[in-house]
Amino acid sequence: MGDNMAEIIGFAIWAICGLFFILLGIYCFFAKKEMGFWANAKVYPVNNVKKYNAAMGKLWITFGIVLTATGLPLLDSDHAAGVLISIVAVMFEVIFLMVFYTTVIEKKYRKK
């Protein structure tokens, strides 16, 4: 298997992870109960479940698309640099995701 094939397989695996989050986002739009953000944590009471789940759906779909896009450097011939760029980009993306959820979505939809 050539180097080019390994890069393509690496990106394909990365893109499948992004697709998982896109599908999770789509699922959020149809969920009847509040979709949680934090693993193994009970969801706080929300004031509008449908709008909250729509916001969560948009959040996860955007995350999945950006996650997939951050994997594009893996297709570069300089594999080590591509991996480093992708990993650093995802670290910043995840931090932004948590900050956005906490400061925008949770603040807007948490029942007071």
Side-chain angles (χ1 to χ4, degrees):
M1 193 169 12
D3 286 339
N4 195 23
M5 186 59 123
E7 293 166 358
I8 292 171
I9 291 172
F11 176 73
I13 292 168
W14 190 281
I16 289 169
C17 293
L19 179 63
F20 168 77
F21 287 105
I22 293 169
L23 293 174
L24 177 64
I26 292 169
Y27 177 78
C28 285
F29 283 101
F30 299 102
K32 301 293 181 203
K33 293 185 178 182
E34 301 93 340
M35 289 296 297
F37 179 80
W38 305 105
N40 299 323
K42 190 172 184 230
V43 181
Y44 52 83
V46 298
N47 54 24
N48 188 328
V49 174
K50 189 172 182 168
K51 287 185 179 181
Y52 169 80
N53 283 344
M56 291 297 290
K58 291 174 191 173
L59 181 71
W60 287 123
I61 289 171
T62 304
F63 178 78
I65 291 168
V66 175
L67 179 68
T68 303
T70 59
L72 289 174
L74 297 174
L75 295 173
D76 187 18
S77 60
D78 186 10
H79 192 65
V83 170
L84 183 62
I85 291 169
S86 294
I87 290 173
V88 170
V90 168
M91 286 177 15
F92 284 113
E93 181 186 10
V94 169
I95 291 168
F96 177 80
L97 180 80
M98 291 185 290
V99 169
F100 185 83
Y101 173 78
T102 305
T103 60
V104 176
I105 295 176
E106 184 175 342
K107 188 176 180 180
K108 183 175 183 177
Y109 293 106
R110 182 184 280 262
K111 195 179 280 186
K112 295 173 176 126

